[in-house]
Amino acid sequence: MDLLKDPANDRYVKTLKPPPHRPLSRNLMFPDKLKNKPDWKLLRDHLQKEGRIAKEDLFKLVADCNKLLKNEGNVLYLQDPLTVVGDIHGQYYDLLKLLEPKVGGNPENTKYLFLGDFVDRGSYSIEVIILMYAIKLNFQNSVYFLRGNHECRQLTAFFNFKEECLYKYDQETYEMLMDSFDLFPLACIINSKFIAIHGGISPDLKSIEDIKKIERYHEPPRQGLFCDLLWSDPVDQEQGYLDTAWKSNEVRGCSWFFGGDSANKFLQRNNLISIIRAHEAQLDGYKMHRWNGGQDFPVVITIFSAPNYCDVYNNRGAVIKFENNTLNIQQYQYTPHPYLLPNFMDIFTWSIPFVAEKITEMLYNILQTDIQGDDDEQISESDIQQFKQLTKQGGLQKQSTTGSSQGAQKNTEKLKNKIKFVSTMMKMQRTLREERESIIQLKGACPDKRLPRGILMKGKDAINDQLADFTTAKSVDLINEKMPYAQIPQESIQIKKPSTQRKK
């Protein structure tokens, strides 16, 4: 893996190694032609350095993995020991943390179940998919995937995975990966006691057999059982109370909210204990929905494995570890990642606000040369009188003398409005330049590329307030979530907090 050359010796940060100069060669990627398995460790390190692989090697990797995925049923059946992982969302460097022995476990000796949402939001979804497929090809009987709601054409086009594919490869690559996502299984039964799905249950779900009957090899529909497995949510109410058995999910724009009554009936009917799902960001990386009382086992457990989601949520990541009939929660903090400009923009596009600010400042100075400076940059009365006097003398007025007074007033107001407009533009441009990093972070939570209305005019404090905490970040991001009882003998829940504090 030859590193990028620096013949002029002008690399600004000498301590940061440059990325690999060329894609990883096929001979290194597939060292054993007989076994036809990729060297996942070499791939892991290569991608960590921001390396790439050739398009034909990516196609081969996915085609080989597709053969395994297609042979798996809609419902998997797994036994512990097992690590269950929630949403990853293109956060490759956090995935590397997750795969460490002290967190999720080394894939060489750990069985994994991933609950979907590998892509979108983060900028390294391609790297996540490459590494995940490489690991699955090496450990076919111990690494399993379920489909998330983001493994579909509609959301990946709305968010940034399609854009990432076009930036790093091309349209053909994007379509190939979408076809691969169509092969992912939909649910898993763990230890014959738990059902694991990405979203939640459905009014159309009576038994596990209903899931097995789904024709899954296509884009998920907007309604029905297939949709609900990927999209439904438990109601956000401490006792799991709903007025009706199912409530329309207005947050998602599709599917349902389900409560304790519906969940308990489903679990009892299928002789299960709890529903394990992902799909929702959690401040601590997990949430126990103890709808049957604090002493009972949670009816629903939500797990979320993307720490500091979108670089603004300030949440922890977590995984579930089943071992010896015991369920453990392992939390972890986020890992710093290489900086990329938002939406993979080039440096010229990124620099436009700086250029625009200077042009606006020039225009402002042309229109007004003597403004009393304050925060609102108001026009002084003396300036207005001066413009009136100039108008009366013919400086701004080309009409006849009889209409000079009215014409002067009209032109003065026009000029005054122009200066106010340019002043407002200057303030917005200054905010864009001075708070560039904060704005980029805030836009990371708004992948529709729209900042909250009026935020630039409110200045620095308002932008920082929007980034202040998890609740605010989740509230700002809420619009993007739309689609465009049984006891366990000898089981317990243990929470393992991360050993180190998050680096500021």
Side-chain angles (χ1 to χ4, degrees):
M1 294 185 293
D2 296 333
L3 299 180
L4 192 66
K5 305 300 181 182
D6 185 19
N9 195 30
D10 59 354
R11 187 170 175 81
Y12 189 77
V13 183
K14 304 293 184 182
T15 56
L16 182 64
K17 292 184 178 181
H21 183 46
R22 297 181 178 86
L24 188 64
S25 69
R26 175 166 289 199
N27 291 335
L28 291 175
M29 184 172 169
F30 296 96
D32 192 333
K33 295 183 179 180
L34 295 178
K35 293 183 178 180
N36 204 32
K37 293 181 179 179
D39 186 336
W40 72 273
K41 290 184 177 179
L42 182 63
L43 262 175
R44 175 195 63 192
D45 297 340
H46 179 72
L47 297 174
Q48 185 179 22
K49 299 172 184 175
E50 299 184 85
R52 303 279 179 84
I53 65 173
K55 176 182 174 180
E56 55 268 25
D57 292 334
L58 174 57
F59 272 63
K60 172 178 169 50
L61 181 76
V62 174
D64 291 345
C65 198
N66 285 348
K67 297 174 184 177
L68 302 178
L69 294 169
K70 196 165 186 178
N71 287 330
E72 295 174 347
N74 286 2
V75 181
L76 306 172
Y77 290 85
L78 300 178
Q79 298 291 320
D80 66 17
L82 176 69
T83 297
V84 180
V85 182
D87 300 34
I88 297 175
H89 280 300
Q91 297 184 199
Y92 180 75
Y93 293 84
D94 294 310
L95 173 62
L96 298 183
K97 177 73 173 181
L98 185 157
L99 296 174
E100 292 179 358
K102 292 183 178 180
V103 184
N106 189 326
E108 294 176 333
N109 48 38
T110 304
K111 189 186 300 182
Y112 273 101
L113 173 66
F114 293 85
L115 300 184
D117 275 13
F118 297 91
V119 301
D120 278 334
R121 312 306 294 266
S123 299
Y124 298 94
S125 296
I126 287 284
E127 288 78 3
V128 168
I129 291 298
I130 291 173
L131 182 60
M132 286 289 87
Y133 278 37
I135 291 176
K136 183 168 179 62
L137 286 172
N138 278 273
F139 310 105
Q140 302 176 12
N141 298 317
S142 60
V143 175
Y144 299 91
F145 307 152
L146 298 185
R147 190 171 191 173
N149 64 310
H150 278 261
E151 275 73 61
C152 73
R153 293 158 185 82
Q154 185 175 9
L155 284 190
T156 52
F158 176 74
F159 288 91
N160 66 330
F161 181 60
K162 182 177 182 179
E163 191 173 13
E164 181 180 345
C165 289
L166 298 179
Y167 173 73
K168 296 179 180 178
Y169 291 97
D170 53 26
Q171 178 72 22
E172 185 182 16
T173 301
Y174 170 72
E175 293 174 356
M176 178 270 298
L177 289 171
M178 290 300 103
D179 291 340
S180 180
F181 294 162
D182 287 340
L183 306 179
F184 284 16
L186 303 177
C188 179
I189 303 299
I190 303 172
N191 289 352
S192 302
K193 300 177 181 179
F194 302 86
I195 181 171
I197 45 184
H198 178 75
I201 57 176
S202 167
D204 299 323
L205 179 59
K206 307 303 180 184
S207 72
I208 304 304
E209 293 301 316
D210 294 327
I211 304 178
K212 295 180 180 179
K213 296 175 184 177
I214 296 174
E215 171 54 55
R216 77 176 195 258
Y217 304 120
H218 59 81
E219 182 81 351
R222 292 190 63 88
Q223 60 184 5
L225 177 55
F226 191 174
C227 170
D228 296 338
L229 291 173
L230 308 185
W231 280 95
S232 71
D233 292 305
V235 63
D236 188 13
Q237 204 275 339
E238 190 173 351
Q239 284 77 38
Y241 176 75
L242 276 177
D243 293 334
T244 57
W246 303 89
K247 179 184 177 183
S248 179
N249 194 332
E250 66 278 1
V251 174
R252 303 291 186 178
C254 66
S255 194
W256 307 91
F257 285 113
F258 61 92
D261 184 55
S262 298
N264 280 316
K265 286 181 179 178
F266 168 76
L267 293 172
Q268 292 169 7
R269 189 164 54 239
N270 291 275
N271 197 28
L272 297 171
I273 291 172
S274 183
I275 300 166
I276 296 177
R277 43 93 67 176
H279 196 40
E280 285 186 290
Q282 302 295 335
L283 179 60
D284 294 316
Y286 72 97
K287 183 175 182 179
M288 303 290 182
H289 303 263
R290 298 181 181 273
W291 292 339
N292 293 332
Q295 300 302 316
D296 291 336
F297 197 85
V299 178
V300 179
I301 303 174
T302 297
I303 195 75
F304 194 79
S305 304
N308 196 26
Y309 184 40
C310 297
D311 287 332
V312 297
Y313 271 59
N314 295 316
N315 62 294
R316 292 175 176 174
V319 297
I320 299 175
K321 304 180 79 171
F322 286 93
E323 188 171 5
N324 297 326
N325 211 32
T326 300
L327 185 155
N328 299 316
I329 301 291
Q330 177 68 60
Q331 296 173 297
Y332 55 98
Q333 300 285 12
Y334 88 106
T335 301
H337 60 79
Y339 178 79
L340 287 178
L341 294 173
N343 304 307
F344 309 101
M345 72 170 66
D346 57 77
I347 190 65
F348 177 78
T349 305
W350 177 81
S351 66
I352 287 177
F354 298 87
V355 178
E357 183 194 11
K358 291 301 179 184
I359 294 175
T360 307
E361 186 178 346
M362 291 169 58
L363 179 60
Y364 181 81
N365 288 329
I366 290 173
L367 290 174
Q368 182 180 20
T369 59
D370 187 23
I371 293 179
Q372 292 179 351
D374 56 28
D375 291 340
D376 293 328
E377 299 185 22
Q378 299 291 332
I379 300 174
S380 67
E381 287 299 323
S382 62
D383 291 323
I384 296 174
Q385 294 300 323
Q386 182 179 1
F387 291 140
K388 287 182 179 180
Q389 186 65 32
L390 288 172
T391 302
K392 290 179 180 179
Q393 295 174 1
L396 296 175
Q397 181 58 271
K398 296 181 180 179
Q399 297 180 356
S400 64
T401 307
T402 57
S404 62
S405 179
Q406 293 179 352
Q409 181 67 29
K410 184 177 180 180
N411 283 347
T412 300
E413 290 300 321
K414 283 184 179 180
L415 186 55
K416 179 179 177 182
N417 290 334
K418 286 180 181 179
I419 296 174
K420 282 186 175 181
F421 171 75
V422 176
S423 174
T424 300
M425 290 297 296
M426 282 185 63
K427 186 172 183 179
M428 293 175 64
Q429 296 292 353
R430 185 181 301 112
T431 302
L432 277 170
R433 177 178 59 80
E434 294 177 350
E435 302 302 320
R436 185 67 169 163
E437 295 299 320
S438 297
I439 290 170
I440 288 173
Q441 283 188 338
L442 185 56
K443 289 189 74 173
C446 306
D448 57 355
K449 303 179 179 68
R450 295 180 181 179
L451 292 170
R453 181 171 295 183
I455 195 72
L456 292 179
M457 286 302 300
K458 295 178 182 178
K460 176 180 178 180
D461 292 340
I463 294 172
N464 290 335
D465 287 344
Q466 290 286 343
L467 297 171
D469 54 34
F470 173 85
T471 303
T472 303
K474 191 172 183 178
S475 175
V476 170
D477 196 34
L478 194 62
I479 190 173
N480 297 309
E481 294 301 326
K482 285 191 174 183
M483 184 173 184
Y485 187 67
Q487 296 280 354
I488 305 182
Q490 299 180 350
E491 280 204 355
S492 62
I493 299 176
Q494 301 174 8
I495 311 300
K496 295 184 179 180
K497 295 185 179 294
S499 56
T500 58
Q501 295 296 318
R502 174 188 171 196
K503 296 179 180 179
K504 297 292 184 182

